[in-house]
Amino acid sequence: GAGVSQSPRYKVAKRGQDVALRCDPISGHVSLFWYQQALGQGPEFLTYFQNEAQLDKSGLPSDRFFAERPEGSVSTLKIQRTQQEDSAVYLCASSPEGRGLGTGELFFGEGSRLTVL
Amino acid sequence: RKEVEQDPGPFNVPEGATVAFNCTYSNSASQSFFWYRQDCRKEPKLLMSVYSSGNEDGRFTAQLNRASQYISLLIRDSKLSDSATYLCVVLFLDSSYKLIFGSGTRLLVRP
């Protein structure tokens, strides 16, 4: 399909395990974002890439969280030593624009639902 | 204090009603404003942008008051299909390019 694709859709991890979540943005989209959405809350900003450059990682909650987009396309969000409070839906979004243009339309994937037991 | 605040609701209204949601933001340097809609267990989708002069899209009207740092969304003639969570979103263009979402206002439209 032509939309943002995320995998896995569902992930159950035992506390302490490492997980990796993948995002395939819409082809050609310059900007890529990761958000974390807890139940009943709005999406919380985690990090932003413009092409392969990670321009903002101010939302990453701890050094256990790491994101990369090495070739400016696919991105991976890695969470090390998962904790129960990491349980949430992780949303990836892409936009055809880089910063400075800002029409504000993000195209979201369906998310990866992480449950840490 | 959160950067973008909304009344969580739920707003429970009959079909055909008019309902309004409000949102306040704390950063006066905010650049642009939007309303997104999120259906249950689905991803957020852009509903409409919010312009300083106010703007309308069918049954939906958005207003922005920069002086009061306040955004509103008005839905007229509510439909059952309007039932969703409405997210107020603010774009910051400082050293980054960051959309900050409110916690959302839940709307339930009943027959």
Side-chain angles (χ1 to χ4, degrees), chain A residues 42 52 78 81 87 98 108 113:
Chain A
E52 70 279 1
K78 297 179 180 178
R81 304 181 304 282
S87 296
F108 281 86
R113 184 176 298 273

Side-chain angles (χ1 to χ4, degrees), chain A residues 33 35 37 56 99 103-104 106, chain B residues 34 36 38 94 96-97 99:
Chain A
F33 303 79
Y35 284 83
Q37 188 170 26
D56 189 337
R99 67 176 292 276
T103 64
L106 298 188
Chain B
F34 310 90
Y36 273 68
Q38 186 171 26
D94 43 19
S96 179
Y97 170 26
L99 277 93

Side-chain angles (χ1 to χ4, degrees), chain B residues 89-100:
Chain B
V89 185
V90 174
L91 173 63
F92 294 102
L93 280 176
D94 43 19
S95 58
S96 179
Y97 170 26
K98 182 188 301 187
L99 277 93
I100 303 299

